[in-house]
């Protein structure tokens, strides 16, 4: 390696599950191919998913036409994006955090990060390229972000999670009011809103669940109803009108529901008395 091959990171690195990744100024590809400098074994990640470049003022992230996209602080990027201290880059199910450290020398030719190799869990295939040649699975962007938000909330970064998810949740509500949305997206949005509501003690996100339910005209899953009972006991009083409108929409079409759905509806109706007692 010659001196011309070496670039300093300008003090910025990436952190993934406790591991620090020095980023070169000549660019490092993130992907599922064994040839990538940052190799991540994730079926939601494309073989060549994104590229990162270190600069003195941060790390530039550029998506490489991946199937599921690259996100910086919850926003899907279409152009190169500068990420700085504390910013979070999401590729597939992997969240990489940009952080400032002492300047690090790295080689674009020789630096390579493989978290599985570091932990000893690498799948020892006879032909390593067999796995990376599998097609990339299409992922639901909101579901991916929801998983990241829940991890952030679990480590006390609830306000950051709310900031990341707020526009996406509001956007889904607008979409639901104008047409159908994926059940997975609806359920993810409800679960994420309740996680934020419980952590921040904010009633508005409970109201959001009822507004989204009204727009989709669908019952929430049992897990969401269970969580509603928990959260309603710790947040300030909600707007009863949102819940009552939701119940009215569901009760207007009784023939839609089978025995299992009617049980969920009764549990949902029980929330009104709890909410009114707050």
């Amino acid at each position: 390696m010659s001196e011309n091959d070496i670039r300093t990171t300008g003090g910025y690195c990436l952190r993934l599950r406790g591991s620090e990744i020095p980023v070169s100024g000549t660019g490092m590809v993130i992907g599922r191919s064994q040839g990538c400098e940052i190799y991540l074994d994730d079926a939601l990640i494309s073989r060549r998913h994104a590229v990162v470049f270190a600069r003195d003022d941060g790390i530039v992230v550029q998506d490489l036409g991946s199937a599921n996209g690259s996100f910086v602080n919850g926003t899907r990027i279409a152009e190169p994006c500068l990420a700085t201290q504390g910013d979070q880059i999401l590729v597939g199910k992997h969240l990489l955090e940009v952080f400032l450290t002492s300047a690090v020398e790295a080689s674009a030719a020789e630096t390579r990060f493989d978290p599985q190799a570091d932990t000893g869990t690498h799948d020892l295939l006879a032909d390593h390229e067999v796995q990376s040649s599998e097609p990339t699975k299409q992922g639901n962007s909101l579901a991916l972000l929801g998983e990241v938000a829940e991890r952030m909330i679990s480590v006390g970064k609830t306000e950051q999670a709310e900031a990341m998810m707020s526009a996406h949740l509001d956007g889904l509500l607008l979409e639901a009011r104008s047409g159908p949305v994926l059940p997975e997206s609806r359920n993810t949005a409800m679960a994420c809103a309740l996680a934020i509501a419980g952590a921040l003690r904010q009633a508005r996100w409970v109201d959001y669940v009822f507004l989204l339910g009204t727009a989709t005209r669908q019952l929430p899953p049992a897990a969401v109803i269970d969580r509603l009972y928990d959260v309603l006991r710790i947040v300030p009083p909600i707007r009863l009108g949102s819940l009552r409108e939701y119940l009215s929409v569901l009760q207007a079409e009784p023939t839609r529901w089978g025995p299992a759905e009617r049980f969920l509806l009764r549990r949902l109706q029980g929330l009104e008395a709890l909410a009114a007692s707050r």
Side-chain angles (χ1 to χ4, degrees), residues 96-216:
L96 301 99
E97 183 176 359
V98 178
F99 72 100
L100 184 62
T101 186
S102 57
V104 178
E105 288 189 343
S107 164
E110 296 183 11
T111 301
R112 184 175 184 275
F113 177 77
D114 179 349
Q116 294 171 312
D118 291 345
T119 59
T121 60
H122 192 278
D123 188 8
L124 299 176
L125 299 175
D127 180 359
H128 291 302
E129 289 301 321
V130 169
Q131 187 172 3
S132 65
S133 67
E134 294 177 354
T136 304
K137 292 183 180 178
Q138 292 290 334
N140 181 298
S141 296
L142 186 63
L144 294 176
L145 292 172
E147 289 186 17
V148 173
E150 289 186 4
R151 292 203 298 269
M152 293 171 68
I153 292 169
S154 70
V155 296
K157 296 182 177 181
T158 308
E159 291 182 352
Q160 296 95 316
E162 182 186 32
M164 181 182 76
M165 294 300 299
S166 182
H168 296 281
L169 295 176
D170 290 340
L172 184 71
L173 179 57
L174 289 174
E175 184 182 344
R177 284 170 170 166
S178 60
V181 298
L182 292 172
E184 180 185 14
S185 296
R186 180 194 68 234
N187 295 343
T188 295
M190 287 181 169
C192 186
L194 288 176
I196 295 171
L200 295 181
R201 305 297 196 267
Q202 289 188 355
R204 68 176 288 255
W205 289 114
V206 179
D207 291 331
Y208 173 90
V209 172
F210 301 139
L211 293 173
L212 183 58
T214 300
T216 59

Side-chain angles (χ1 to χ4, degrees), residues 189-265:
M190 287 181 169
C192 186
L194 288 176
I196 295 171
L200 295 181
R201 305 297 196 267
Q202 289 188 355
R204 68 176 288 255
W205 289 114
V206 179
D207 291 331
Y208 173 90
V209 172
F210 301 139
L211 293 173
L212 183 58
T214 300
T216 59
R217 308 179 72 87
Q218 296 293 329
L219 284 160
V224 167
I225 297 177
D226 290 343
R227 186 63 175 145
L228 277 166
Y229 273 93
D230 294 335
V231 173
L232 275 176
R233 292 184 172 94
I234 60 175
V235 300
I238 65 167
R239 292 187 299 135
L240 277 172
S242 298
L243 172 56
R244 286 169 176 163
E245 183 181 5
Y246 184 26
L247 291 173
S248 177
V249 166
L250 297 176
Q251 292 164 352
E253 303 176 272
T255 58
R256 291 179 60 193
W257 315 119
E261 289 80 12
R262 288 197 293 271
F263 173 76
L264 292 178
L265 181 55

Side-chain angles (χ1 to χ4, degrees), residues 69-106:
S70 302
F71 299 79
V72 175
N73 295 331
T75 300
R76 187 167 183 165
I77 60 173
E79 303 291 337
C81 178
L82 179 65
T84 58
Q85 171 74 7
D87 286 345
Q88 295 176 321
I89 302 165
L90 176 67
V91 290
K93 293 185 177 181
H94 293 268
L95 189 66
L96 301 99
E97 183 176 359
V98 178
F99 72 100
L100 184 62
T101 186
S102 57
V104 178
E105 288 189 343

